[in-house]
Amino acid sequence: MLQAGLAGAVLFNPEREADPLAIAAGFTALLLPYSLIGPFAGALLDRWDRRNVLVVANALRGLLILLAAATVAMGADEPVLFTLALIVVGISRFVGSGLSASLPHVVPVRNLIEANALATTLGAVVAVTGAGCAVGLRALVGSDDLGSGITTAAATLGSVAAALFAARFTKGALGPDEVDEPPQTLVAIARGLFDGARAAVRTPTVLAGFVALLAHRAAFGILLLLTVLLVRFKLETGMTGLGEVAGMVGLGILLAGLTTARIVAKFYRRRTVVAALVVGGVSVVALGLPMLMITTLAAALVVSYAGQIVKLCVDAAVQRDIGDEVRGRVFALYDTLFNVAQVVSVSLAALVVAPDGTSPGLFAAAGICYLIGIAGFVSVSRRHP
């Protein structure tokens, strides 16, 4: 609901103008916190009671969403709005990384892929539902600054509910079981990314997965910008069209959640990742280049399905092959790398994209990202059988 509310406020608000660079700035505000907060979240999740982190982070996020909504309603300039979005989404990193690091404490190791698929599937269903509620609420209260502010404020309900559910866990139930960090908190934070990188490089399954997912996120960033521009300017379907695209992305994630465990069980993880990258690359070119609404929706479905399969495989590799004492820091590195890649790809694409999104060369560039991902994944896998 927060993301849909902010998207409506900045991208589809008749009181504001949005060009490719402004859109890229908006995506940066929503994605960059994952990178800025990641090292802090990783180190502290391996140091503090994760149950308490989830409770406090959700409660604080709810309060800041209300503040962000107030700035939208008052017509604040984009820099102010983007700064608040940075803080709100940054706090969300504690929630996302906390879930990933805590999952092995409540699910048997042999069921991690299924558990990740279930969590992601439920998350996708709720996310799409939330976006749909935001679109519907926006239609009722208006698309101007006041209406966008009301829509954004509704997202507070989700954070409050999350804090209440997190509070139901007993203290210590989600780990960490032991602390393998320097006693000084600031030193631990400073070393967080380094420790995570060292653990990832020493774990071949995780390193290869990182290469594959990095390529997907770079391609996805390009497609994200192209889709918003096409929907708003060329296809002229507005917020409704963007909602339809989001729905297809959610459906792709849902399908991946339902099928990934069976695919991996039959074809093994390495083949599954390579196949998913091939499907993603082919669909970007074949379905993206026509630049019609029907093919855009199909591309959203297939690309999100393929990318989510890769992500589920990487999540399971980190949870299975990385020790609990450093797992939070590896997930922090995970978030930092992939969201930086997405921010950079969106920003670079904004510099060369056509104002209405009709840039065939960028679709080809996204396809090339998948090819690089395949080559890198296979290379690392062969060096580390």
Side-chain angles (χ1 to χ4, degrees), residues 7-14 16 138 143 228 231-232 237-239 242:
V10 176
L11 305 180
F12 300 95
N13 187 339
R16 301 173 188 256
R138 186 172 180 270
S143 58
V228 171
V231 166
R232 176 165 186 181
T237 55
M239 193 68 179
L242 191 62

Side-chain angles (χ1 to χ4, degrees), residues 126-306:
V126 174
V128 172
T129 302
C133 290
V135 172
L137 182 59
R138 186 172 180 270
L140 291 175
V141 300
S143 58
D144 57 3
D145 285 336
L146 178 59
S148 297
I150 294 173
T151 301
T152 304
T156 303
L157 298 175
S159 286
V160 172
L164 293 175
F165 277 111
R168 292 174 60 85
F169 287 101
T170 58
K171 292 183 178 181
L174 303 179
D177 295 330
E178 58 182 290
V179 176
D180 179 25
E181 290 185 345
Q184 301 83 8
T185 302
L186 292 179
V187 174
I189 292 172
R191 287 180 48 183
L193 282 182
F194 175 78
D195 291 340
R198 183 171 57 185
V201 170
R202 290 178 176 177
T203 311
T205 55
V206 174
L207 180 61
F210 274 23
V211 172
L213 195 53
L214 191 67
H216 166 71
R217 293 301 290 268
F220 192 80
I222 297 173
L223 297 174
L224 198 59
L225 179 64
L226 288 170
T227 300
V228 171
L229 290 173
L230 286 171
V231 166
R232 176 165 186 181
F233 297 110
K234 182 178 186 295
L235 303 175
E236 298 182 347
T237 55
M239 193 68 179
T240 301
L242 191 62
E244 293 174 355
V245 172
M248 296 306 286
V249 169
L251 179 58
I253 293 174
L254 172 62
L255 293 175
L258 295 174
T259 60
T260 298
R262 294 182 180 180
I263 294 173
V264 171
K266 184 172 183 179
F267 299 104
Y268 302 104
R269 187 160 50 194
R270 184 184 299 181
R271 291 178 183 174
T272 299
V273 171
V274 171
L277 292 174
V278 170
V279 170
V282 171
S283 63
V284 163
V285 177
L287 298 174
L289 285 177
M291 289 180 267
L292 303 172
M293 192 62 194
I294 184 66
T295 57
T296 298
L297 292 174
L301 173 65
V302 178
V303 170
S304 63
Y305 175 72

Side-chain angles (χ1 to χ4, degrees), residues 56 60 74 168 273:
V56 174
L60 181 58
M74 292 185 296
R168 292 174 60 85
V273 171

